[in-house]
Amino acid sequence: MIKQALISVSDKTGILDFARALAQMNVKILSTGGTAKLLSDNGIDVTEVADYTGFPEMLDGRVKTLHPKVHGGILARRDFPEHAAALEKHAIPTIDMVVVNLYPFQKTVAKEHCTLEDAIENIDIGGPAMLRSSAKNHKDVVVVCDPADYSKVLDELQAHNGEVSYEIKFELAKKVFAHTAQYDGAITNYFTSLGEDKQHATRSSYPATLNLHFEKVQEMRYGENPHQSAAFYRDLKPVDGALANYTQLQGKELSYNNIGDADAAWECVKTFDETACVIIKHANPCGVAIGANPLEAYSKAFQTDPTSAFGGIIAFNCEVDGNAAEAIAKQFVEVLIAPSFSESAKQVFATKQNVRLLQIPFGKAINVHDFKRVGGGVLVQSPDAKNVLHSELKVVSKKQPTPQQLQDLMFAWRVAKFVKSNAIVFCGNGMTMGVGAGQMSRVDSARIASIKAQNAGLSLVGSAVASDAFFPFRDGLDVVVGAGATSVIQPGGSMRDQEVIDAADEHGVVMLLTGIRHFRH
């Protein structure tokens, strides 16, 4: 039975109610510093650890629980007679429950003006020691590091006459080891990111030792192919608006490829301020459009490439209403993503139970880093978060863009950012008209994009074209102009830029340079 508990928490959320409930069950409570004062001030009987050990807190609180009477009471195995004898010899009572959460190191170092001294003083020593000791001896000690678990523990105590089942003890212990590993990993990341100027704690974005921590959401039926195994893990605290924040409203279990394609669709549609729809197939946009309402945006996006849209992933940056749902439901759809779905839309898809509906709170935040696994290592980079502004564009052709051309070019450039290199994207009137992706030759991407438009019955006359990287020769430009394009946006930066610009003037088309490329591999 739980007879004595040690409580020492930095995060005081829910601790008063929890401690009061323990006291009502006749559990003796030990505590330290601010936690002890809080409990005492609220009428909860508590013994200071310093009084319990007979040794005062010292070194500005750095040493308070690091004492044999604390750790002996935690680590002693109740089923070992020699341990019981040692406790009796040294007059050490057992501690049956440890409730500890740690100094807020991560929050501290996340502050803009955090100094090295601030970081050091927020490294918890006694807390992790108690947590690890308790988790190691979880058969005999209940350890709680998360306020969210208080109610679960109280339910167990009430249901089992003051005891906690081994299954719950083991789950809590696993949570502790994950928590302390993540805590130590954050400290390592911080210290190995520091530059030479230790006094001002100048930091690199890429620490010398990188610790990553994720929690498993689910295991997949298989990976990219049936002979591969897979699982989906998410950040411990995903950024606002991230795919990992999804709630699945209905549909079959998500697959490995579903999640990868869903992320591509969601990240693309998030970049638009207007009502937008993105259709993804095999990680590439096969249709992107904006419209006055969800139905118009979807209809235009679907029109780009109806063949590829079959079995695609569809994302909206707005609520999906009944009208859009009825149009979408006529096609085979793997996953549909939106910030919300109207009741009429839900009713439409209630008859299509295999369609996976993902609801994600809208937000434009993005991950701090992108990762790519390679043999024996991992590539880490900052995300491609750059969106070119109108003021950053440079008109290099003799012909100036019209307002409509400028609007179409900006739309095309935004889409090209999410198309696998080499990328060529034809657009017009707020929709994609032909997408060429992932070819080894930019000329081939241009040809494929124009063929896609022809297959969909779309005319490219007067269209705008975006190329994710520069045209190394004029041949790619010749192809897109031959298909009907009258304006082109590209990064520039080739040794033959002037040759390509001269070709644009020869054709009488508009050409804009962004000065930035969007390779996507």
Side-chain angles (χ1 to χ4, degrees), residues 205-291:
S205 297
Y206 306 100
T209 300
L210 179 63
N211 289 275
L212 302 176
H213 298 273
F214 304 92
E215 59 183 359
K216 186 168 70 175
V217 177
Q218 66 185 86
E219 292 190 16
M220 308 296 178
R221 286 179 299 164
Y222 52 80
E224 284 183 296
N225 300 290
H227 62 276
Q228 296 171 265
S229 61
F232 173 44
Y233 289 79
R234 68 181 164 208
D235 290 322
L236 300 180
K237 292 183 179 179
V239 297
D240 292 340
L243 175 78
N245 296 312
Y246 74 81
T247 298
Q248 186 168 352
L249 303 183
Q250 70 162 57
K252 297 186 294 185
E253 186 180 36
L254 288 163
S255 73
Y256 181 96
N257 291 332
N258 287 157
I259 289 177
D261 286 349
D263 185 60
W266 184 241
E267 289 300 314
C268 182
V269 83
K270 285 187 346 182
T271 65
F272 290 94
D273 296 321
E274 310 91 335
T275 296
C277 174
V278 174
I279 305 175
I280 292 284
K281 192 67 173 289
H282 295 306
N284 277 299
C286 61
V288 180
I290 56 176

Coordinates of all heavy atoms in Angstrom, one line a residue, residues 205-291:
S205 N 22.4 26.4 -34.9 CA 21.2 25.6 -35.2 C 21.5 24.1 -35.3 O 20.5 23.3 -35.3 CB 20.5 26.1 -36.5 OG 20.2 27.5 -36.4
Y206 N 22.7 23.8 -35.4 CA 23.1 22.4 -35.6 C 24.1 21.9 -34.5 O 25.3 22.1 -34.7 CB 23.7 22.2 -37.0 CG 22.7 22.7 -38.1 CD1 22.9 24.0 -38.6 CD2 21.6 22.0 -38.5 CE1 22.1 24.5 -39.6 CE2 20.7 22.5 -39.4 CZ 21.0 23.7 -40.0 OH 20.1 24.2 -40.9
P207 N 23.6 21.4 -33.4 CA 24.5 21.0 -32.3 C 25.4 19.9 -32.7 O 25.2 19.1 -33.7 CB 23.5 20.5 -31.2 CG 22.3 20.1 -32.0 CD 22.2 21.1 -33.1
A208 N 26.5 19.8 -32.0 CA 27.6 18.8 -32.3 C 27.0 17.4 -32.1 O 27.4 16.4 -32.8 CB 28.8 19.0 -31.5
T209 N 26.1 17.2 -31.1 CA 25.4 16.0 -30.9 C 23.9 16.3 -30.9 O 23.4 17.1 -30.2 CB 25.8 15.4 -29.5 OG1 27.2 15.1 -29.4 CG2 25.0 14.1 -29.2
L210 N 23.2 15.6 -31.8 CA 21.8 15.8 -32.0 C 20.9 14.7 -31.4 O 21.1 13.6 -31.8 CB 21.5 16.0 -33.5 CG 20.0 16.3 -33.9 CD1 19.6 17.6 -33.3 CD2 19.9 16.3 -35.4
N211 N 20.1 15.0 -30.5 CA 19.2 14.1 -29.9 C 17.8 14.4 -30.4 O 17.3 15.5 -30.2 CB 19.2 14.1 -28.4 CG 20.5 13.6 -27.8 OD1 20.6 12.4 -27.6 ND2 21.4 14.4 -27.5
L212 N 17.1 13.4 -30.9 CA 15.7 13.6 -31.4 C 14.8 12.7 -30.6 O 15.1 11.6 -30.3 CB 15.6 13.3 -32.9 CG 16.5 14.1 -33.8 CD1 16.4 13.5 -35.3 CD2 16.2 15.5 -33.8
H213 N 13.6 13.2 -30.3 CA 12.6 12.4 -29.6 C 11.2 12.5 -30.2 O 10.7 13.6 -30.4 CB 12.6 12.9 -28.1 CG 13.9 12.7 -27.4 ND1 14.3 11.6 -26.8 CD2 14.9 13.6 -27.3 CE1 15.5 11.7 -26.3 NE2 15.9 12.9 -26.6
F214 N 10.7 11.4 -30.5 CA 9.3 11.3 -31.0 C 8.5 10.3 -30.3 O 9.1 9.4 -29.7 CB 9.4 10.9 -32.5 CG 10.2 11.8 -33.4 CD1 11.6 11.6 -33.6 CD2 9.7 13.0 -33.9 CE1 12.4 12.4 -34.3 CE2 10.5 13.8 -34.7 CZ 11.8 13.5 -34.9
E215 N 7.2 10.4 -30.3 CA 6.3 9.4 -29.7 C 5.6 8.7 -30.8 O 5.1 9.3 -31.8 CB 5.4 10.0 -28.7 CG 4.5 11.1 -29.3 CD 3.6 11.7 -28.2 OE1 3.7 11.3 -27.1 OE2 2.8 12.6 -28.6
K216 N 5.4 7.4 -30.6 CA 4.7 6.6 -31.7 C 3.2 6.8 -31.6 O 2.6 6.8 -30.6 CB 5.0 5.1 -31.5 CG 4.4 4.2 -32.6 CD 5.0 2.8 -32.5 CE 4.4 2.0 -31.4 NZ 4.8 0.6 -31.4
V217 N 2.7 7.1 -32.8 CA 1.2 7.3 -33.0 C 0.6 6.0 -33.3 O -0.4 5.6 -32.7 CB 0.9 8.3 -34.1 CG1 -0.6 8.5 -34.3 CG2 1.5 9.7 -33.7
Q218 N 1.2 5.3 -34.3 CA 0.6 4.0 -34.7 C 1.6 3.2 -35.5 O 2.5 3.8 -36.1 CB -0.7 4.2 -35.5 CG -0.5 4.9 -36.8 CD -1.8 5.1 -37.6 OE1 -2.4 6.2 -37.4 NE2 -2.2 4.2 -38.4
E219 N 1.5 1.9 -35.6 CA 2.2 1.1 -36.5 C 1.3 1.0 -37.8 O 0.1 0.9 -37.7 CB 2.5 -0.3 -35.9 CG 3.5 -0.2 -34.8 CD 4.0 -1.6 -34.3 OE1 3.8 -2.5 -35.1 OE2 4.6 -1.6 -33.2
M220 N 2.0 0.9 -38.9 CA 1.3 0.8 -40.2 C 1.2 -0.7 -40.6 O 1.9 -1.6 -40.1 CB 2.1 1.5 -41.3 CG 2.4 2.9 -40.9 SD 0.9 3.9 -40.8 CE 1.6 5.5 -40.3
R221 N 0.3 -1.0 -41.5 CA 0.1 -2.3 -42.0 C 1.4 -2.7 -42.7 O 1.9 -3.8 -42.6 CB -1.1 -2.4 -43.0 CG -2.4 -2.4 -42.3 CD -3.5 -2.5 -43.3 NE -3.5 -1.3 -44.2 CZ -4.2 -1.2 -45.4 NH1 -4.8 -2.3 -45.8 NH2 -4.1 -0.2 -46.1
Y222 N 2.0 -1.7 -43.4 CA 3.3 -1.9 -44.1 C 3.9 -0.6 -44.5 O 3.2 0.5 -44.2 CB 3.2 -2.9 -45.3 CG 2.2 -2.5 -46.3 CD1 2.4 -1.5 -47.2 CD2 1.0 -3.2 -46.3 CE1 1.4 -1.2 -48.2 CE2 0.0 -2.9 -47.3 CZ 0.2 -1.9 -48.2 OH -0.7 -1.6 -49.1
G223 N 5.0 -0.5 -45.0 CA 5.7 0.7 -45.4 C 5.3 1.1 -46.8 O 4.1 0.9 -47.3
E224 N 6.2 1.7 -47.6 CA 5.9 2.1 -48.9 C 5.5 0.9 -49.8 O 4.7 1.0 -50.7 CB 7.2 2.7 -49.6 CG 7.5 4.1 -49.1 CD 8.7 4.7 -49.8 OE1 9.8 4.2 -49.7 OE2 8.5 5.7 -50.6
N225 N 6.0 -0.3 -49.4 CA 5.6 -1.5 -50.1 C 5.3 -2.6 -49.1 O 5.7 -2.5 -47.9 CB 6.8 -2.0 -51.0 CG 7.1 -0.9 -52.1 OD1 6.4 -0.7 -53.0 ND2 8.3 -0.3 -51.9
P226 N 4.5 -3.6 -49.5 CA 4.0 -4.6 -48.5 C 5.2 -5.4 -47.8 O 4.9 -5.9 -46.7 CB 3.2 -5.5 -49.3 CG 2.7 -4.7 -50.5 CD 3.8 -3.8 -50.8
H227 N 6.3 -5.5 -48.4 CA 7.4 -6.2 -47.7 C 8.2 -5.4 -46.7 O 9.1 -5.9 -46.1 CB 8.4 -6.8 -48.8 CG 9.1 -5.7 -49.6 ND1 8.5 -5.1 -50.7 CD2 10.3 -5.1 -49.4 CE1 9.3 -4.2 -51.2 NE2 10.4 -4.2 -50.4
Q228 N 7.8 -4.1 -46.5 CA 8.4 -3.2 -45.6 C 7.5 -3.0 -44.4 O 6.3 -2.8 -44.5 CB 8.8 -1.9 -46.2 CG 9.8 -1.9 -47.4 CD 9.9 -0.6 -48.1 OE1 9.2 -0.4 -49.1 NE2 10.7 0.3 -47.6
S229 N 8.1 -2.9 -43.2 CA 7.4 -2.6 -42.0 C 7.5 -1.0 -41.8 O 8.4 -0.4 -42.3 CB 7.9 -3.3 -40.8 OG 9.2 -3.0 -40.5
A230 N 6.6 -0.5 -41.0 CA 6.6 1.0 -40.8 C 5.8 1.4 -39.6 O 4.9 0.6 -39.1 CB 6.0 1.7 -42.0
A231 N 6.1 2.6 -39.1 CA 5.3 3.2 -38.0 C 5.3 4.7 -38.2 O 6.2 5.2 -38.8 CB 5.8 2.8 -36.6
F232 N 4.3 5.4 -37.6 CA 4.3 6.9 -37.7 C 4.6 7.4 -36.3 O 4.0 7.0 -35.3 CB 2.9 7.4 -38.1 CG 2.8 8.9 -38.1 CD1 3.8 9.7 -38.5 CD2 1.6 9.4 -37.6 CE1 3.6 11.1 -38.4 CE2 1.4 10.8 -37.5 CZ 2.5 11.6 -37.9
Y233 N 5.6 8.2 -36.2 CA 6.0 8.9 -34.9 C 5.8 10.4 -35.1 O 6.0 11.0 -36.2 CB 7.4 8.7 -34.6 CG 7.8 7.3 -34.1 CD1 7.9 6.3 -35.1 CD2 7.9 7.0 -32.8 CE1 8.2 5.0 -34.7 CE2 8.2 5.7 -32.4 CZ 8.4 4.7 -33.3 OH 8.6 3.4 -32.9
R234 N 5.4 11.1 -34.0 CA 5.3 12.5 -34.1 C 6.1 13.2 -33.1 O 6.5 12.6 -32.1 CB 3.8 12.9 -33.9 CG 3.2 12.7 -32.6 CD 1.7 13.1 -32.5 NE 1.1 12.6 -31.3 CZ -0.2 12.3 -31.2 NH1 -1.0 12.5 -32.3 NH2 -0.7 11.8 -30.1
D235 N 6.4 14.5 -33.3 CA 7.1 15.3 -32.3 C 6.4 15.3 -31.0 O 5.1 15.2 -31.0 CB 7.2 16.8 -32.8 CG 8.2 16.9 -33.9 OD1 9.2 16.2 -34.0 OD2 7.9 17.7 -34.8
L236 N 7.1 15.4 -29.9 CA 6.5 15.4 -28.6 C 5.5 16.6 -28.5 O 4.5 16.6 -27.8 CB 7.5 15.5 -27.5 CG 8.5 14.3 -27.4 CD1 9.5 14.5 -26.3 CD2 7.7 13.0 -27.3
K237 N 5.9 17.7 -29.2 CA 5.0 18.9 -29.2 C 5.0 19.4 -30.7 O 5.8 20.3 -31.0 CB 5.5 20.0 -28.3 CG 5.4 19.6 -26.8 CD 5.8 20.8 -25.9 CE 5.6 20.4 -24.4 NZ 6.1 21.5 -23.5
P238 N 4.2 18.9 -31.5 CA 4.1 19.3 -32.9 C 3.8 20.8 -33.0 O 3.0 21.3 -32.2 CB 3.0 18.5 -33.5 CG 2.8 17.3 -32.6 CD 3.2 17.8 -31.2
V239 N 4.3 21.5 -34.0 CA 4.0 22.9 -34.2 C 2.6 23.1 -34.6 O 1.9 22.2 -35.1 CB 4.9 23.5 -35.3 CG1 6.4 23.5 -34.9 CG2 4.7 22.8 -36.6
D240 N 2.0 24.3 -34.3 CA 0.6 24.5 -34.7 C 0.4 24.4 -36.1 O 1.2 24.8 -37.0 CB 0.3 26.0 -34.3 CG 0.2 26.2 -32.7 OD1 0.1 25.2 -32.0 OD2 0.3 27.3 -32.3
G241 N -0.6 23.7 -36.5 CA -1.0 23.5 -37.9 C -0.3 22.3 -38.6 O -0.5 22.1 -39.8
A242 N 0.5 21.6 -37.8 CA 1.2 20.4 -38.4 C 0.3 19.3 -38.7 O -0.7 19.1 -38.0 CB 2.4 20.0 -37.5
L243 N 0.6 18.5 -39.7 CA -0.2 17.3 -40.0 C -0.4 16.4 -38.8 O -1.4 15.8 -38.6 CB 0.5 16.5 -41.1 CG -0.2 15.2 -41.5 CD1 -1.5 15.4 -42.3 CD2 0.7 14.2 -42.2
A244 N 0.7 16.3 -37.9 CA 0.6 15.4 -36.8 C -0.5 15.7 -35.8 O -0.8 14.9 -34.9 CB 2.0 15.3 -36.1
N245 N -1.1 16.9 -35.9 CA -2.2 17.3 -35.1 C -3.5 16.8 -35.5 O -4.6 17.2 -35.0 CB -2.2 18.8 -34.9 CG -1.0 19.4 -34.3 OD1 -0.5 18.9 -33.3 ND2 -0.4 20.4 -34.9
Y246 N -3.5 15.9 -36.5 CA -4.8 15.5 -37.1 C -5.7 14.7 -36.2 O -5.2 14.0 -35.3 CB -4.5 14.7 -38.4 CG -4.0 13.3 -38.1 CD1 -4.9 12.2 -37.8 CD2 -2.7 13.0 -38.2 CE1 -4.5 10.9 -37.6 CE2 -2.2 11.7 -38.0 CZ -3.1 10.7 -37.7 OH -2.7 9.4 -37.5
T247 N -7.0 14.8 -36.4 CA -8.0 13.9 -35.8 C -8.7 13.2 -37.0 O -9.2 13.9 -37.9 CB -9.0 14.7 -35.0 OG1 -8.4 15.4 -34.0 CG2 -10.1 13.8 -34.4
Q248 N -8.6 11.9 -37.0 CA -9.3 11.2 -38.1 C -10.8 11.0 -37.7 O -11.1 10.3 -36.7 CB -8.6 9.8 -38.3 CG -9.2 9.1 -39.5 CD -8.3 7.9 -39.9 OE1 -7.2 7.7 -39.4 NE2 -8.9 7.1 -40.8
L249 N -11.6 11.6 -38.5 CA -13.1 11.5 -38.2 C -13.7 10.2 -38.7 O -14.7 9.8 -38.1 CB -13.8 12.7 -38.9 CG -13.3 14.1 -38.5 CD1 -14.1 15.2 -39.2 CD2 -13.3 14.3 -37.0
Q250 N -13.2 9.7 -39.8 CA -13.7 8.4 -40.3 C -12.7 7.8 -41.3 O -11.7 8.4 -41.6 CB -15.0 8.6 -41.0 CG -14.9 9.4 -42.4 CD -16.1 9.2 -43.3 OE1 -17.2 9.5 -42.8 NE2 -15.9 8.7 -44.5
G251 N -13.0 6.6 -41.8 CA -12.2 6.0 -42.8 C -11.3 4.9 -42.3 O -11.1 4.7 -41.1
K252 N -10.6 4.3 -43.3 CA -9.7 3.2 -43.0 C -8.5 3.7 -42.3 O -8.2 4.9 -42.3 CB -9.3 2.5 -44.3 CG -10.4 1.8 -45.1 CD -9.9 1.0 -46.3 CE -9.3 1.9 -47.4 NZ -8.9 1.2 -48.6
E253 N -7.7 2.8 -41.8 CA -6.5 3.2 -41.1 C -5.5 3.8 -42.1 O -5.4 3.4 -43.3 CB -5.8 1.9 -40.5 CG -4.6 2.2 -39.7 CD -4.0 0.9 -39.1 OE1 -4.0 -0.1 -39.8 OE2 -3.5 1.0 -38.0
L254 N -4.8 4.9 -41.7 CA -3.9 5.6 -42.5 C -2.7 4.7 -42.8 O -2.2 3.9 -42.0 CB -3.4 6.8 -41.9 CG -4.4 8.0 -41.8 CD1 -4.0 9.0 -40.8 CD2 -4.6 8.6 -43.2
S255 N -2.2 4.8 -44.1 CA -1.0 4.0 -44.5 C 0.2 4.9 -44.5 O 0.1 6.2 -44.4 CB -1.2 3.4 -45.9 OG -1.1 4.4 -46.8
Y256 N 1.4 4.3 -44.6 CA 2.7 5.1 -44.7 C 2.6 6.1 -45.8 O 2.9 7.3 -45.6 CB 3.8 4.1 -44.9 CG 5.2 4.6 -45.0 CD1 6.0 4.7 -43.9 CD2 5.7 5.1 -46.2 CE1 7.3 5.2 -44.0 CE2 7.0 5.6 -46.3 CZ 7.8 5.6 -45.2 OH 9.0 6.1 -45.3
N257 N 2.2 5.7 -47.0 CA 2.1 6.6 -48.1 C 1.0 7.6 -48.0 O 1.2 8.8 -48.4 CB 1.9 5.8 -49.4 CG 3.1 4.9 -49.8 OD1 4.2 5.3 -49.5 ND2 2.8 3.8 -50.5
N258 N -0.1 7.3 -47.3 CA -1.1 8.2 -47.0 C -0.6 9.4 -46.3 O -0.8 10.6 -46.6 CB -2.3 7.6 -46.2 CG -3.1 6.7 -47.0 OD1 -3.8 5.8 -46.4 ND2 -3.2 6.8 -48.3
I259 N 0.2 9.1 -45.2 CA 0.7 10.2 -44.3 C 1.7 11.0 -45.1 O 1.7 12.3 -45.0 CB 1.3 9.6 -43.1 CG1 0.2 9.0 -42.2 CG2 2.1 10.6 -42.3 CD1 0.6 8.3 -40.9
G260 N 2.6 10.4 -45.9 CA 3.5 11.2 -46.6 C 2.9 12.1 -47.6 O 3.2 13.3 -47.7
D261 N 1.9 11.6 -48.4 CA 1.2 12.4 -49.4 C 0.3 13.5 -48.7 O 0.2 14.6 -49.2 CB 0.4 11.6 -50.3 CG 1.2 10.8 -51.3 OD1 2.4 11.1 -51.4 OD2 0.7 9.9 -51.9
A262 N -0.3 13.1 -47.6 CA -1.1 14.1 -46.9 C -0.3 15.3 -46.4 O -0.8 16.4 -46.4 CB -1.8 13.4 -45.7
D263 N 0.9 15.0 -45.9 CA 1.7 16.1 -45.5 C 2.1 17.0 -46.6 O 2.1 18.3 -46.5 CB 3.0 15.5 -44.9 CG 3.9 16.6 -44.3 OD1 3.4 17.3 -43.3 OD2 5.0 16.8 -44.7
A264 N 2.4 16.5 -47.8 CA 2.7 17.3 -49.0 C 1.5 18.1 -49.4 O 1.6 19.3 -49.7 CB 3.1 16.4 -50.2
A265 N 0.3 17.6 -49.3 CA -0.9 18.3 -49.7 C -1.2 19.4 -48.6 O -1.5 20.6 -49.0 CB -2.1 17.4 -49.7
W266 N -1.1 19.1 -47.4 CA -1.4 20.1 -46.3 C -0.4 21.2 -46.3 O -0.8 22.4 -46.1 CB -1.4 19.3 -45.0 CG -1.8 20.1 -43.8 CD1 -1.1 20.4 -42.7 CD2 -3.1 20.8 -43.6 NE1 -1.7 21.2 -41.8 CE2 -3.0 21.5 -42.3 CE3 -4.2 21.0 -44.3 CZ2 -4.0 22.2 -41.8 CZ3 -5.3 21.7 -43.8 CH2 -5.2 22.3 -42.6
E267 N 0.9 20.9 -46.4 CA 1.9 22.0 -46.4 C 1.7 22.9 -47.6 O 2.0 24.1 -47.5 CB 3.3 21.4 -46.4 CG 3.7 20.7 -45.1 CD 3.7 21.6 -43.9 OE1 4.2 22.8 -44.0 OE2 3.1 21.3 -42.9
C268 N 1.3 22.4 -48.7 CA 1.1 23.2 -49.9 C -0.1 24.1 -49.7 O 0.0 25.3 -49.9 CB 0.9 22.4 -51.2 SG 0.7 23.3 -52.7
V269 N -1.2 23.6 -49.3 CA -2.5 24.3 -49.2 C -2.4 25.4 -48.1 O -3.0 26.4 -48.2 CB -3.7 23.4 -49.0 CG1 -3.9 23.0 -47.6 CG2 -5.0 24.0 -49.6
K270 N -1.6 25.2 -47.1 CA -1.4 26.1 -46.0 C -0.8 27.4 -46.5 O -0.9 28.5 -45.8 CB -0.5 25.5 -44.9 CG -1.2 24.5 -44.0 CD -0.4 24.1 -42.8 CE 1.0 24.4 -42.8 NZ 1.7 23.8 -41.6
T271 N -0.1 27.4 -47.6 CA 0.6 28.6 -48.0 C -0.3 29.7 -48.7 O 0.1 30.8 -48.9 CB 1.7 28.3 -49.0 OG1 1.2 27.7 -50.2 CG2 2.7 27.3 -48.4
F272 N -1.6 29.3 -49.0 CA -2.5 30.2 -49.6 C -3.4 30.9 -48.6 O -3.8 30.3 -47.7 CB -3.4 29.4 -50.6 CG -2.6 28.9 -51.8 CD1 -2.1 27.6 -51.8 CD2 -2.4 29.7 -52.9 CE1 -1.4 27.1 -52.9 CE2 -1.7 29.2 -54.0 CZ -1.2 27.9 -54.0
D273 N -3.6 32.2 -48.9 CA -4.5 33.0 -48.1 C -5.9 32.9 -48.6 O -6.9 32.9 -47.9 CB -4.1 34.4 -48.1 CG -2.7 34.6 -47.4 OD1 -2.5 33.9 -46.4 OD2 -1.9 35.5 -47.9
E274 N -6.1 32.7 -50.0 CA -7.4 32.5 -50.6 C -7.9 31.1 -50.3 O -7.1 30.2 -50.0 CB -7.3 32.8 -52.1 CG -6.6 34.1 -52.5 CD -5.1 33.9 -52.7 OE1 -4.5 32.9 -52.1 OE2 -4.5 34.7 -53.5
T275 N -9.2 30.9 -50.5 CA -9.7 29.5 -50.5 C -9.0 28.7 -51.5 O -9.0 29.0 -52.7 CB -11.3 29.6 -50.8 OG1 -11.9 30.3 -49.7 CG2 -11.8 28.2 -50.8
A276 N -8.4 27.6 -51.1 CA -7.6 26.8 -52.0 C -7.8 25.3 -51.8 O -8.2 24.9 -50.7 CB -6.1 27.1 -51.7
C277 N -7.5 24.6 -52.9 CA -7.6 23.1 -52.9 C -6.3 22.6 -53.5 O -5.9 23.1 -54.6 CB -8.8 22.6 -53.6 SG -8.9 20.8 -53.8
V278 N -5.7 21.5 -52.9 CA -4.6 20.9 -53.5 C -4.8 19.4 -53.6 O -5.3 18.8 -52.6 CB -3.3 21.1 -52.6 CG1 -2.1 20.3 -53.1 CG2 -3.0 22.6 -52.5
I279 N -4.5 18.8 -54.8 CA -4.7 17.4 -55.0 C -3.3 16.8 -55.2 O -2.6 17.3 -56.1 CB -5.6 17.1 -56.2 CG1 -6.9 17.7 -56.0 CG2 -5.8 15.5 -56.3 CD1 -7.9 17.6 -57.2
I280 N -2.9 15.8 -54.4 CA -1.6 15.3 -54.5 C -1.7 13.8 -54.9 O -2.5 13.1 -54.5 CB -0.9 15.3 -53.1 CG1 -0.6 16.7 -52.6 CG2 0.4 14.4 -53.0 CD1 0.6 17.4 -53.3
K281 N -0.7 13.4 -55.8 CA -0.6 12.0 -56.2 C 0.9 11.7 -56.2 O 1.7 12.3 -56.9 CB -1.2 11.8 -57.6 CG -1.4 10.3 -57.9 CD -2.4 9.6 -57.1 CE -2.7 8.2 -57.5 NZ -3.4 8.2 -58.8
H282 N 1.3 10.7 -55.4 CA 2.7 10.3 -55.3 C 3.6 11.4 -55.0 O 4.6 11.7 -55.7 CB 3.1 9.5 -56.6 CG 2.4 8.3 -56.8 ND1 2.3 7.3 -55.9 CD2 1.7 7.8 -57.9 CE1 1.6 6.2 -56.4 NE2 1.2 6.6 -57.6
A283 N 3.2 12.2 -54.0 CA 4.0 13.3 -53.4 C 4.1 14.5 -54.3 O 4.7 15.5 -53.9 CB 5.4 12.8 -53.1
N284 N 3.4 14.6 -55.4 CA 3.4 15.7 -56.3 C 2.0 16.3 -56.5 O 1.1 15.6 -56.6 CB 4.0 15.4 -57.7 CG 5.5 15.4 -57.7 OD1 6.1 16.4 -57.5 ND2 6.1 14.2 -58.1
P285 N 1.9 17.6 -56.5 CA 0.6 18.2 -56.8 C 0.2 17.9 -58.3 O 1.0 18.1 -59.2 CB 0.9 19.7 -56.7 CG 2.1 19.9 -55.9 CD 3.0 18.6 -56.3
C286 N -1.0 17.3 -58.4 CA -1.5 17.1 -59.8 C -2.6 18.1 -60.1 O -3.2 18.1 -61.2 CB -1.9 15.7 -60.0 SG -3.3 15.1 -58.9
G287 N -3.0 18.9 -59.1 CA -4.0 19.9 -59.3 C -4.0 20.9 -58.1 O -4.1 20.4 -57.0
V288 N -3.9 22.2 -58.4 CA -3.9 23.2 -57.3 C -4.7 24.4 -57.9 O -4.5 24.8 -59.0 CB -2.5 23.7 -56.9 CG1 -2.6 24.8 -55.8 CG2 -1.6 22.6 -56.5
A289 N -5.6 24.9 -57.0 CA -6.4 26.0 -57.5 C -7.0 26.8 -56.3 O -7.1 26.3 -55.2 CB -7.6 25.5 -58.4
I290 N -7.3 28.1 -56.6 CA -8.0 28.9 -55.7 C -9.4 29.2 -56.2 O -9.6 29.1 -57.5 CB -7.2 30.2 -55.4 CG1 -6.9 31.0 -56.6 CG2 -5.9 29.9 -54.6 CD1 -6.2 32.3 -56.4
G291 N -10.3 29.5 -55.4 CA -11.7 29.8 -55.9 C -12.5 30.6 -54.9 O -12.0 30.9 -53.8

